[in-house]
Amino acid sequence: MTGQDGGFAREDPESAEAQIVEQSKRIDFYITEYSVEILAAKMRAGEYVVPDYQREFTWESERKSRFLESLIMGLPIPFIFFWEMPDGKLEIVDGSQRLRTIEEFVLGDFRLGELEQLSMVSNFTFAELPESRQRKIKNRSIRGIVLNEHADEVARLDMFERINTGSKIANTAEIRRGALAGPFMSLVIKLSRLERFEKLAPMSVKTKKERGYEELVTRFFAYGDGLDGYKDRPADFIFEYSRKMNETFRERPELIGQYEQRFLEVLGFVERVFPNGFRKTATSQATPRARFEAIAIGSYLALQDKPGLANASADDLNVGSWLGSAEFVDATGSDGANAIARLRGRVNFVHDKLVAA
């Protein structure tokens, strides 16, 4: 619903406050503090668990050395965020690189690189430092925040994303892939690697490496199956959808083939009917996410409502007559793209045009 100024209408203050309270319940925590010696020992003993979605991301030697230089100098170290697991171990929500580096230095054989401020300490291992300095480093304390059982998976991943905004870190699709391994995610990964898909929806090498195709496939299924429960935040909605679909596919494995066929049929339809696939132009090397959602999901829903479209020719449907229209450009614009009204609007635009043809 939009207001007179064209923006989205504000709900009443009481509803806004209720939402804040509800979301805050997911982030109950307590503060703790451990010495570097204890942190290293707990990492070595497996008391701290590194989630799958963080395992592939390791600091290079230079960054480890820079962090350790700060530690040796006594500079403030950011909080470590944990989640208390049912077995009492602590899952590292944020800080796995710092903890792994501490363990590798204090209990391993990591050798410092060239340091900027402590140039005389360059190339030392921990064991080569004077014993008095070793003790001082071990006695340094680092504070931690431990989330309790109220922090569900989505809340923890959300916190991880927010803490690392702007950092070279796992993105939403990468996190989802690691945290939700299962038959649904396996299908998503399989479909994301189709050469045919890449030709219809080109993207930069950087976006591809960041699991951009997996994100598009997952959104296709999640939004195509309905938007009940969508709250204008795709990450939460898609995470929960993926979790449920893993369970559904385990219980009903016959659905895997049906979902794969659904995706392939839409690819075939788009390939035949849309002159540039999901691209804006024939030479575009990027695929705007909103445009993909509009064409892919709009086409899927239209094929469901009007099966005869599967046999229609490109000339019959003449999508070029409206693909470049100001109305379609506006519907697939980035402004407020994740708001449910905008999402439904762009999907329905394509659906209605196809069904009316």
Side-chain angles (χ1 to χ4, degrees):
M1 180 178 180
T2 57
Q4 294 181 350
D5 60 356
F8 292 98
R10 294 181 180 83
E11 298 291 344
D12 61 274
E14 290 78 10
S15 296
E17 175 62 19
Q19 185 180 48
I20 292 171
V21 171
E22 180 61 28
Q23 291 300 311
S24 297
K25 289 179 181 178
R26 303 163 69 198
I27 311 296
D28 269 357
F29 65 89
Y30 63 86
I31 296 176
T32 187
E33 191 165 352
Y34 291 118
S35 68
V36 165
E37 182 176 25
I38 291 176
L39 291 172
K42 284 182 174 287
M43 279 298 292
R44 177 60 58 90
E47 289 293 313
Y48 297 153
V49 179
V50 180
D52 288 339
Y53 60 83
Q54 296 187 47
R55 291 186 191 282
E56 295 181 15
F57 297 87
T58 57
W59 283 349
E60 64 280 2
S61 180
E62 182 181 356
R63 191 166 180 183
K64 291 178 182 178
S65 294
R66 185 172 177 80
F67 166 71
L68 291 170
E69 182 181 35
S70 298
L71 182 69
I72 295 169
M73 291 172 62
L75 294 176
I77 303 300
F79 278 83
I80 306 292
F81 287 79
F82 299 101
W83 172 64
E84 192 168 42
M85 302 170 70
D87 63 3
K89 293 183 179 180
L90 298 182
E91 177 185 284
I92 307 169
V93 176
D94 183 72
S96 68
Q97 303 298 336
R98 280 165 276 161
L99 291 175
R100 281 187 273 188
T101 299
I102 287 172
E103 179 198 356
E104 190 178 353
F105 183 54
V106 175
L107 298 179
D109 55 3
F110 179 78
R111 186 174 295 279
L112 295 168
E114 294 297 323
L115 305 183
E116 294 181 8
Q117 301 298 321
L118 302 177
S119 58
M120 300 298 292
V121 186
S122 298
N123 302 312
F124 272 74
T125 65
F126 182 77
E128 292 170 346
L129 294 172
E131 288 188 10
S132 59
R133 179 52 55 188
Q134 292 182 36
R135 294 190 190 98
K136 290 176 181 178
I137 294 173
K138 286 181 177 180
N139 289 335
R140 278 221 55 201
S141 63
I142 296 177
R143 305 187 82 185
I145 291 180
V146 182
L147 307 175
N148 68 14
E149 69 275 8
H150 295 297
D152 56 22
E153 286 179 301
V154 175
R156 280 149 33 216
L157 294 172
D158 180 51
M159 177 174 286
F160 180 75
E161 281 189 279
R162 291 173 185 272
I163 293 168
N164 289 289
T165 298
S167 300
K168 183 181 178 182
I169 199 67
N171 61 29
T172 304
E174 291 167 328
I175 292 171
R176 193 183 306 129
R177 176 197 254 236
L180 293 174
F184 173 71
M185 289 308 302
S186 293
L187 176 62
V188 167
I189 293 168
K190 175 184 177 181
L191 297 176
S192 73
R193 294 172 175 169
L194 292 174
E195 183 178 350
R196 182 183 184 189
F197 183 29
E198 292 187 15
K199 288 181 179 179
L200 290 171
M203 59 179 62
S204 68
V205 173
K206 178 178 181 293
T207 304
K208 183 177 179 179
K209 286 183 177 179
E210 293 174 347
R211 317 292 185 191
Y213 284 114
E214 291 177 29
E215 182 70 19
L216 295 185
V217 175
T218 310
R219 287 180 178 231
F220 169 76
F221 288 130
Y223 297 165
D225 278 346
L227 295 171
D228 292 342
Y230 185 87
K231 302 294 184 183
D232 295 352
R233 176 164 169 75
D236 289 2
F237 179 80
I238 296 173
F239 185 95
E240 184 60 22
Y241 172 84
S242 300
R243 185 187 65 77
K244 289 180 179 178
M245 288 305 295
N246 271 333
E247 295 176 359
T248 299
F249 278 12
R250 289 189 186 100
E251 295 172 358
R252 300 182 59 193
E254 72 275 8
L255 290 178
I256 297 175
Q258 295 177 27
Y259 272 69
E260 180 174 3
Q261 188 60 32
R262 175 197 301 188
F263 187 76
L264 294 177
E265 286 177 354
V266 169
L267 282 190
F269 179 77
V270 172
E271 190 174 40
R272 189 179 77 254
V273 170
F274 288 79
N276 301 317
F278 299 107
R279 307 182 297 267
K280 284 186 177 181
T281 68
T283 58
S284 294
Q285 294 303 307
T287 303
R289 189 172 287 170
R291 186 181 181 89
F292 169 82
E293 292 167 354
I295 294 175
I297 303 164
S299 295
Y300 164 67
L301 296 177
L303 287 166
Q304 292 295 106
D305 290 343
K306 192 176 179 181
L309 288 173
N311 301 314
S313 69
D315 291 337
D316 292 335
L317 299 179
N318 189 24
V319 299
S321 64
W322 49 263
L323 269 179
S325 68
E327 190 178 3
F328 181 67
V329 171
D330 178 67
T332 55
S334 59
D335 183 32
N338 290 325
I340 192 167
R342 295 279 291 173
L343 176 54
R344 282 183 172 144
R346 58 180 173 266
V347 169
N348 289 339
F349 181 93
V350 174
H351 167 273
D352 294 347
K353 289 290 185 181
L354 292 173
V355 169

